[in-house]
Each structure stands twice: as C-alpha cells, then as structure tokens.
Amino acid sequence: MTEALISALFIFVLATFAGFEVITKVPPTLHTPLMSGANAISGIAILGALIVAGDKDWNVTVILGLIAVVFATINVVGGFLVTDRMLQMFKKKEVKA
C-alpha cells in the first residue's frame, strides 16, 4: 500500500513540474487555444468523477466524486465563458452609418 502511494505521489510531483514548465513556455497568442484544450480535459475529469460518484451507497468516494463533478463543471463553464470573451475581442466592430 505504501509503495503504491509513494509511486503515485512521485508521478504527481513529476507531472506538476512538467506541467509548470510547459505552461510557462506558452506565448500569449496561444493562450486561447490552450484554454480550450484545458476545458476538454476538464470535461474528461467530469466523466471520471461521474463514474466514481455513481455508486448507490453513500460513502467518502461518492461525496468526493460529487464534489469533483461540481468543481470540474464550474471549471468547464467558466473556461468556456472566458474563452468566448477573449474571442469576442478579435471580432471586428460594426460601423454604424
């Protein structure tokens, strides 16, 4: 049990460092497409959280799965709203005659 926990923690720390290095190297012009990709990943997290929360008995995993569904949904909706607002900045404004 402790070996699995240590290996999972090791992978988490490596993924954190790799993610930080990748994100800091992204130029500002690519932030909108990157945010859209992050929203897709959060959508996958919602599916995983639904699978975890899908048990009939109420226990800790169901409660944590429900919390994960709520937070991932907030992340997806907020991300799409921000992406839409950023894309609105690039539209040409109509000139009234």
Side-chain angles (χ1 to χ4, degrees):
M1 178 71 177
T2 58
E3 289 179 19
L5 180 64
I6 290 173
S7 64
L9 190 60
F10 181 73
I11 291 171
F12 176 74
V13 170
L14 284 178
T16 302
F17 284 127
F20 179 77
E21 285 299 317
V22 168
I23 295 299
T24 56
K25 305 290 190 258
V26 173
T29 55
L30 293 178
H31 281 197
T32 301
L34 183 65
M35 182 172 276
S36 297
N39 287 336
I41 292 171
S42 290
I44 295 169
I46 290 175
L47 291 177
L50 284 172
I51 291 171
V52 169
D55 199 7
K56 293 180 182 178
D57 299 328
W58 281 90
N59 54 19
V60 176
T61 58
V62 173
I63 294 169
L64 290 176
L66 178 64
I67 292 170
V69 168
V70 170
F71 283 145
T73 303
I74 290 170
N75 190 26
V76 168
V77 171
F80 279 120
L81 290 174
V82 170
T83 302
D84 184 55
R85 186 168 180 183
M86 290 173 70
L87 290 174
Q88 294 296 327
M89 293 176 9
F90 294 105
K91 286 188 176 179
K92 292 183 180 180
K93 296 185 180 188
E94 296 179 12
V95 179
K96 293 185 179 180

